[in-house]
Amino acid sequence: MNHSFYSIDRTTHLKVVTVALIGAIAVAGISIAAHTSGSNGIAQGEHVRVVKAGQPVMMTSNIQLAVQ
């Protein structure tokens, strides 16, 4: 086994490239399978609820500290 990239032979180089290619295909396949598609017949912005900001509100859980 060669421990340096400078002295590897052709078959070792082919093994490294093959393992890297299989890994890249696996990552791409998993990411495509996990991708949630928005193509369920509903437009993207159709059911978006807009919330407008009202008056400023001061909220705190500590009675000694209030930041405005």
Side-chain angles (χ1 to χ4, degrees), residues 3-56:
H3 295 286
S4 173
F5 280 118
Y6 297 115
S7 65
I8 62 173
D9 54 349
R10 183 179 175 97
T11 57
T12 307
H13 185 279
L14 185 62
K15 289 176 189 176
V16 170
V17 170
T18 304
V19 169
L21 183 62
I22 290 172
I25 290 171
V27 168
I30 291 170
S31 64
I32 289 172
H35 182 262
T36 57
S37 178
S39 61
N40 55 359
I42 300 173
Q44 281 282 340
E46 190 173 329
H47 294 289
V48 175
R49 183 175 164 190
V50 178
V51 178
K52 292 186 179 182
Q55 295 296 325

